[in-house]
Amino acid sequence: MSVLARRDRALTPDETEALLRDRLGDGIVGATLAHRTFTLHVAPSAWVEVHRRCRDEDLLDMDLFDSLFGVDAGDDGFDVVTVLYSTSTGNRLCLRTRCEGGREAPVCPSVTDVYRGADWMERETWDMYGIEFPGHPGLEPRILTVENFEGWPLRKDFHLTSRVVKPWPGVKEPAELDEDGNVIEREAGVGDAPGPYALDEAMAKQALERRRAAEEALAAAAGNAAAVEVGDGPAADAPTSEPEGDA
Amino acid sequence: MGVMDQVELPKPIKYVFNWGRKYSLWCFNFGLACCAIEFIAASTSRHDFIRHGVIPFAHGPRQADLLVVSGTLTDKMAPAVKRLYDEMPEPKYVISFGSCSNCGGPYWDSYSVTKGVDQVIPVDVYVPGCPPRPEALLDGIMRLQDRIQNESLPERIAERRRDPANVGAEAGLALDPHAVHTAAPVLGPTGGDA
Amino acid sequence: MSDLDTRERVLQGTAPGEGLAIELIGDGDLVTADMSLSIGPAHPATHGVFRIVFEMDGERIVRARPVIGYMHRGFEKLAEHRDYRQIMALVNRHDWLSGFANELGVALAVEQMLEMEVPERAQWIRMLMAEWNRVLNHLMFIGSYALELGAITPMFYAFREREDIQHLLEAATGGRLHFTYNQVGGVKIDLPAGFLRESERLVGVMRQRMPDYFDLVHGNEIFRGRTVNVGPLPVDVATSIGVTGPALQATGLAEDARVTEPYLQYDKVEVEVPVGANGDAFDRFDVLLRRIVASIDVIDQIHGHIGAGPVNQKLPKMVKAPEGWTYVRTENPLGQLGYWLESDGGRTPWRLKMRTPSFSNVQAIPYLVEGQLLADAISILGSVFFVVGDIDR
């Protein structure tokens, strides 16, 4: 079975939008095509219907349910996005809706009747954002977090406690760089490790000194064997440079 | 253990006894994440820790002397690790394998990760790395074996009874995952004993 | 008093002690009660901290309910607190058997947002690494699946090969599991001298050893007995759930992002997509084995394409993706990995959704095991190849 069977008949984004607008009317709020991703904005009332159309409409044939997830939309509440894919035409379509109920009680109709795969995805979205999905067979218990977990971790107003109480000690943190990416100078605190470059430099210096000492020792040995008049000058230097190298 | 944990054995016998113990460590791999793969790599032909007397075929915690916790410990998982550890017979040893089980590792700021397995069970040897190489595990095992060779079993067991929170089990360890999550910075026993 | 008497008294409910009485129903057939059986979260048969609760009627599974989340580490939240360089080191850890492929998706997503052209050599190097990573991943599953069915030997064979390949990748990346070799705009550093020669040699070695695997597992009568016609998955159910990767290809659908939506330079190489017939456990495993052969063929072609040139580009001090969102999917070893990257123009993503193959594939498990015998559940669980970190993230 070839996946590219109907690739030549795949609809363009404009045609897809026109088709769904024809079927659903005001259900389609808008469309964006940016960064090679085509997204249709759908009204919550048409949310289930648009999925059914996408699946059953012969020209679209979106049979592979890719994913469903939430996005925090700031003060406007929450968005729910689904990604559908057609294995016969090779088209992909993203559908996006704004949940009703604002930030307090976000609600989005469930598409579990259309796609089986939405089951866990909606449970996950509820777990992460607290978005209710009427029509879902059972969102509880929490799918990923601990059952007695409090809060909705992916909401922007959920703060990571570890970050609040213990700032990261390094300077590699985005928070420690200013707008242009320059490191904000900061006084070294207790327990700060030397940076990788300081360590590299120290090691390179040691290696260089060790090599120089070895070379001098070699030269001294060669000098002793070949000519007596070179004397013990270099040989005397060699041991003094060694402890420095190790220090 | 019978009389062994009561009586301090004469030195030569203790030496032989500990020598026997250190080279027959039945090991239970608590494989959680990435590090479990490196644990398996350490047990297969290239690195082969069986030559060090570590036998990775313990059928369950009841048969195991050594617990290797390899991977990220999450709050949801923590009670299971604790329970498993409690099921092991004395004397028992724990190797924490990898940064995640040492201290949370790359997930130091996560809301769902326990910042180190030592908040739940006592650890004997920490192996750093993300994930550590199999050679690092071999090194950790050899360090544990040195410790076993030189230790006194009655002392270890007595110490564990005296201070179970740090050496042993049963104390008020932060088993309530939510307590671990909110207690900040997490300070080990937070009294979540239900 | 004979044993028989005791037994009869117990059966009739007249023996002393409550709870011993057994009531017989029907005309003497063995009657069983429903019981609930919880396997995991740390059970050897589930390779990883995966728990599944079966409701059993005797040996038959009435209902199965996977319980996940034991490895939930909050990747999506943490990604919102890390910049685009740091995310690379984060994402390669969720599916710990395919670190390189995970990074690749994020790198592609950011590049797609920035409309950045990646040097050609970097693209070929990425493909080479991704394919070796695929081989690594599949070898692990060959070993572990056989182990679950009671054969230890394939594990040792698989790790012999894995060590060789890891050794090769380590030479270029410095990592054995988590490579962190991708960066936005290319790869971290160029390949070391002699890498391609060694890679070519390994291709020869792998080709020589692959028949061993086919003989060892494929031709094994016990293995066939435990997998053929066990847990078949119809193609429409698979797509409705969102199953991808070997499990979808085993149903007969040749869906592979490398072919259907070529990224990098995959349109310049021949990628063979193996398919199965009826999507049972044996087919899934068979597809996995043949995917290794296909990957090795791809690697062999890549060797001929890698030309000279830069492997990365000069980046600004702070990479910032422009406002908007993008969706990138790549063919991960276990299926399709999708990244939804949404940015508000800042230095960290506003939202990074990981659509992981294991999460969708595992959803098919209840469908597969219900009505099956408990003994078959193990071979079904193992045949839906998943990594727990990839499920829970």
Side-chain angles (χ1 to χ4, degrees):
Chain A
M1 196 191 295
S2 170
V3 268
L4 306 176
R6 296 173 51 204
R7 174 145 281 192
D8 51 336
R9 282 192 280 147
L11 296 185
T12 62
D14 289 340
E15 286 166 355
T16 307
E17 191 192 344
L19 179 83
L20 285 170
R21 269 189 197 280
D22 178 55
R23 299 290 192 273
L24 294 160
D26 294 340
I28 307 297
V29 181
T32 48
L33 177 59
H35 309 298
R36 287 194 250 164
T37 304
F38 176 55
T39 313
L40 271 183
H41 298 261
V42 185
S45 53
W47 184 242
V48 180
E49 187 55 27
V50 74
H51 283 87
R52 191 161 283 133
R53 289 281 178 190
C54 285
R55 185 191 63 179
D56 297 338
E57 206 68 58
D58 197 40
L59 286 168
L60 294 171
D61 193 25
M62 299 283 174
D63 51 350
L64 186 81
F65 184 76
D66 195 289
S67 54
L68 181 150
F69 49 91
V71 176
D72 193 315
D75 295 336
D76 301 334
F78 300 95
D79 287 356
V80 172
V81 182
T82 53
V83 182
L84 306 176
Y85 178 77
S86 165
T87 54
S88 59
T89 65
N91 263 359
R92 191 174 43 241
L93 178 63
C94 305
L95 300 166
R96 187 166 185 150
T97 189
R98 172 74 37 90
C99 291
E100 285 174 337
R103 285 194 83 80
E104 280 69 43
V107 173
C108 177
S110 167
V111 292
T112 39
D113 288 344
V114 189
Y115 292 105
R116 279 164 178 267
D119 181 357
W120 280 19
M121 305 262 183
E122 286 177 359
R123 280 183 67 188
E124 188 202 344
T125 309
W126 173 74
D127 190 0
M128 293 290 135
Y129 287 97
I131 299 172
E132 294 283 344
F133 290 91
H136 187 278
L139 294 166
E140 287 185 79
R142 301 188 79 138
I143 187 167
L144 291 179
T145 54
V146 205
E147 286 178 17
N148 59 354
F149 192 85
E150 282 172 24
W152 311 107
L154 275 182
R155 288 191 181 187
K156 289 287 174 185
D157 45 21
F158 182 93
H159 296 292
L160 296 171
T161 31
S162 306
R163 260 182 193 267
V164 177
V165 297
K166 187 179 148 200
W168 184 243
V171 292
K172 302 283 179 193
E173 191 68 1
E176 306 234 349
L177 300 171
D178 67 15
E179 273 304 309
D180 303 323
N182 297 315
V183 179
I184 299 168
E185 288 299 330
R186 185 176 74 96
E187 282 190 24
V190 180
D192 277 7
Y197 297 112
L199 203 66
D200 281 354
E201 267 172 29
M203 284 170 71
K205 202 172 142 200
Q206 278 178 22
L208 193 72
E209 278 168 4
R210 214 169 292 135
R211 201 175 64 197
R212 195 176 296 146
E215 275 169 8
E216 279 167 2
L218 205 67
N224 284 339
V228 190
E229 64 266 25
V230 178
D232 47 8
D237 286 348
T240 53
S241 63
E242 243 172 2
E244 282 171 20
D246 290 339
Chain B
M1 291 301 294
V3 77
M4 298 293 196
D5 57 340
Q6 311 283 333
V7 186
E8 187 72 54
L9 294 167
K11 211 172 171 187
I13 299 176
K14 192 168 83 178
Y15 180 86
V16 175
F17 181 66
N18 282 347
W19 178 84
R21 283 202 304 132
K22 81 170 182 180
Y23 285 133
S24 63
L25 287 169
W26 283 76
C27 164
F28 187 81
N29 174 25
F30 204 83
L32 292 163
C34 334
C35 298
I37 308 295
E38 290 296 60
F39 180 92
I40 299 169
S43 69
T44 51
S45 49
R46 179 77 56 100
H47 303 283
D48 187 17
F49 61 36
I50 301 180
R51 69 202 152 108
H52 291 281
V54 178
I55 306 147
F57 304 124
H59 293 106
R62 286 274 185 231
Q63 281 102 325
D65 309 300
L66 168 64
L67 177 70
V68 177
V69 182
S70 44
T72 320
L73 183 69
T74 59
D75 295 346
K76 202 170 182 174
M77 198 64 205
V81 174
K82 170 85 172 105
R83 184 166 154 191
L84 210 83
Y85 177 79
D86 289 345
E87 282 177 12
M88 286 170 67
E90 290 280 359
K92 48 193 173 187
Y93 302 91
V94 178
I95 291 183
S96 162
F97 184 56
S99 292
C100 294
S101 60
N102 291 347
C103 63
Y107 316 105
W108 66 277
D109 51 348
S110 172
Y111 53 87
S112 58
V113 173
T114 310
K115 311 300 181 296
V117 70
D118 50 4
Q119 296 186 14
V120 185
I121 57 174
V123 174
D124 292 276
V125 175
Y126 297 87
V127 181
C130 188
R133 301 177 62 86
E135 290 91 326
L137 179 61
L138 297 184
D139 185 47
I141 286 168
M142 285 159 75
R143 275 162 197 264
L144 181 70
Q145 286 173 336
D146 283 351
R147 178 184 264 216
I148 294 173
Q149 178 69 70
N150 297 321
E151 81 179 355
S152 151
L153 198 54
E155 266 175 37
R156 182 182 169 93
I157 289 176
E159 201 183 338
R160 191 183 284 273
R161 287 197 182 126
R162 227 177 12 250
D163 187 9
N166 288 323
V167 196
E170 283 101 44
L173 293 165
L175 267 194
D176 177 13
H178 190 61
V180 175
H181 165 65
T182 47
V186 187
L187 294 169
T190 46
D193 199 0
Chain C
M1 192 192 291
S2 73
D3 281 343
L4 192 71
D5 292 343
T6 317
R7 184 177 162 272
E8 278 177 355
R9 289 200 306 139
V10 168
L11 289 178
Q12 285 155 12
T14 52
E18 286 256 320
L20 279 173
I22 299 167
E23 195 187 343
L24 282 181
I25 308 167
D27 42 311
D29 283 346
L30 184 62
V31 179
T32 54
D34 281 6
M35 71 174 279
S36 174
L37 180 70
S38 169
I39 297 185
H43 191 272
T46 59
H47 59 90
V49 283
F50 177 74
R51 181 172 164 219
I52 186 159
V53 182
F54 292 128
E55 274 170 33
M56 309 285 302
D57 176 15
E59 279 288 294
R60 208 160 280 283
I61 296 162
V62 181
R63 196 164 161 263
R65 191 166 54 88
V67 182
I68 62 168
Y70 289 99
M71 203 27 66
H72 177 60
R73 300 181 276 191
F75 275 97
E76 292 171 9
K77 184 74 176 178
L78 298 188
E80 290 171 13
H81 288 84
R82 280 153 172 76
D83 68 24
Y84 293 105
R85 292 166 309 164
Q86 294 172 314
I87 288 174
M88 295 291 168
L90 189 70
V91 291
N92 57 17
R93 281 165 170 77
H94 72 257
D95 174 358
W96 45 75
L97 291 173
S98 27
F100 189 86
N102 300 339
E103 303 163 14
L104 182 60
V106 172
L108 289 174
V110 182
E111 285 154 12
Q112 192 158 307
M113 295 277 277
L114 292 166
E115 290 175 10
M116 184 184 271
E117 279 295 316
V118 178
E120 200 174 316
R121 181 178 167 83
Q123 296 193 19
W124 286 107
I125 291 175
R126 280 177 173 183
M127 278 170 67
L128 180 65
M129 292 289 175
E131 292 304 320
W132 273 127
N133 201 196
R134 195 180 315 275
V135 176
L136 267 183
N137 175 301
H138 289 353
L139 279 172
M140 177 75 207
F141 279 101
I142 285 171
S144 70
Y145 187 48
L147 193 67
E148 278 152 26
L149 296 181
I152 293 179
T153 320
M155 194 64 156
F156 292 105
Y157 275 67
F159 266 81
R160 179 187 63 184
E161 266 73 282
R162 270 179 64 88
E163 288 289 343
D164 284 347
I165 300 171
Q166 280 182 326
H167 191 69
L168 173 78
L169 299 188
E170 197 184 346
T173 64
R176 281 168 56 89
L177 285 181
H178 305 318
F179 304 110
T180 327
Y181 189 52
N182 272 299
Q183 65 178 34
V184 177
V187 294
K188 194 170 63 182
I189 39 170
D190 207 345
L191 298 174
F195 183 91
L196 291 177
R197 205 166 53 240
E198 179 63 15
S199 177
E200 273 163 22
R201 190 189 69 81
L202 264 185
V203 166
V205 169
M206 284 303 294
R207 281 199 173 137
Q208 205 181 341
R209 286 175 182 172
M210 279 318 286
D212 289 354
Y213 288 98
F214 280 103
D215 293 347
L216 198 65
V217 192
H218 224 155
N220 186 324
E221 204 171 312
I222 300 168
F223 182 83
R224 292 188 86 98
R226 291 203 61 183
T227 53
V228 173
N229 286 329
V230 171
L233 182 66
V235 62
D236 54 333
V237 177
T239 52
S240 176
I241 292 174
V243 172
T244 50
L248 179 64
Q249 289 159 5
T251 65
L253 189 65
E255 172 61 37
D256 187 316
R258 292 174 294 169
V259 177
T260 53
E261 272 187 301
Y263 50 98
L264 296 174
Q265 303 279 338
Y266 275 114
D267 47 349
K268 299 205 181 120
V269 292
E270 278 295 302
V271 184
E272 197 214 322
V273 183
V275 289
N278 59 346
D280 57 12
F282 183 80
D283 273 357
R284 287 192 278 273
F285 188 82
D286 180 40
V287 164
L288 195 77
L289 264 178
R290 279 152 60 202
R291 271 165 71 106
I292 297 186
V293 179
S295 278
I296 292 168
D297 288 345
V298 174
I299 292 168
D300 205 17
Q301 297 174 51
I302 294 170
H303 288 146
H305 280 100
I306 294 189
V311 294
N312 49 26
Q313 3 185 313
K314 187 120 177 64
L315 292 175
K317 267 185 184 166
M318 182 59 70
V319 176
K320 284 181 187 168
E323 218 169 310
W325 59 78
T326 188
Y327 185 82
V328 168
R329 71 160 189 172
T330 54
E331 184 72 16
N332 239 35
L334 296 177
Q336 282 164 23
L337 176 73
Y339 284 111
W340 174 276
L341 177 64
E342 186 161 342
S343 170
D344 59 346
R347 49 192 148 190
T348 60
W350 176 260
R351 173 83 165 106
L352 181 76
K353 162 70 188 175
M354 300 163 172
R355 181 260 188 238
T356 52
S358 302
F359 186 79
S360 298
N361 291 5
V362 163
Q363 272 199 82
I365 285 179
Y367 178 86
L368 291 175
V369 296
E370 278 168 17
Q372 302 274 351
L373 295 175
L374 181 62
D376 287 339
I378 299 305
S379 59
I380 293 172
L381 274 183
S383 73
V384 181
F385 308 104
F386 62 85
V387 169
V388 177
D390 203 31
I391 304 173
D392 296 343
R393 293 153 296 176

